[in-house]
Amino acid sequence: AEYLLRRERGMKPDDLKETARPPQTLFAEVLELQERLLEFQEARADDDEETIARLRPELEEAQTRFQSAYDDLRDRLRDLFAAWDRESDRESVLNGLAEVVGTRGYLRRVLMNLAQTRAS
């Protein structure tokens, strides 16, 4: 997808990061998650087992939910590539690719942060 965007639009990897914004609902979910991660990290630093036990299932559920959203984007990419191959409205396909690439990168960073926090 990134190759196609570079080829067709002359975009560089940094351009994709700057132009693709995650959907507002996803952004709001991530902000809530960031609060939970910070609370979890503080609880670990303070050896607050009660808070850790309360937050652990929330973080596990968030991991599952965000991983599912990430995986769903793979299916959307597959559909977009099929549309490209059918020579559908190519501009719409490129817009969809840019959105998916940006959102996947964003979700990948969220998932890495979540996994690192839970593991430490």
Side-chain angles (χ1 to χ4, degrees):
E2 290 176 12
Y3 168 77
L4 194 56
L5 288 166
R6 284 192 302 267
R7 190 185 85 189
E8 296 296 318
R9 289 191 171 168
M11 297 181 88
K12 298 175 186 156
D14 288 340
D15 295 339
L16 293 172
K17 291 177 189 173
E18 292 174 16
T19 59
R21 302 274 186 248
Q24 192 62 31
T25 55
L26 176 61
F27 186 71
E29 285 183 60
V30 170
L31 287 178
E32 288 180 35
L33 174 63
Q34 293 297 342
E35 289 176 19
R36 297 294 171 267
L37 289 172
L38 183 58
E39 187 178 359
F40 189 80
Q41 291 167 335
E42 289 172 355
R44 277 212 168 136
D46 295 339
D47 291 324
D48 181 352
E49 293 300 322
E50 184 178 317
T51 301
I52 292 170
R54 177 178 54 82
L55 290 174
R56 186 169 278 124
E58 287 182 45
L59 296 181
E60 290 170 358
E61 190 274 328
Q63 179 88 33
T64 301
R65 189 174 67 250
F66 284 105
Q67 185 64 53
S68 178
Y70 184 84
D71 293 342
D72 288 347
L73 291 174
R74 178 188 55 230
D75 297 335
R76 180 142 183 250
L77 274 178
R78 191 175 305 127
D79 294 343
L80 288 165
F81 287 137
W84 181 267
D85 291 342
R86 287 190 310 270
E87 297 186 18
S88 297
D89 178 6
R90 293 220 162 166
E91 194 58 33
S92 292
V93 172
L94 290 171
N95 290 338
L97 289 173
E99 178 186 325
V100 169
V101 166
T103 302
R104 279 189 72 166
Y106 185 73
L107 280 173
R108 187 174 27 255
R109 290 186 296 277
V110 168
L111 287 166
M112 287 181 0
N113 188 18
L114 184 53
Q116 289 172 346
T117 300
R118 288 181 58 214
S120 60

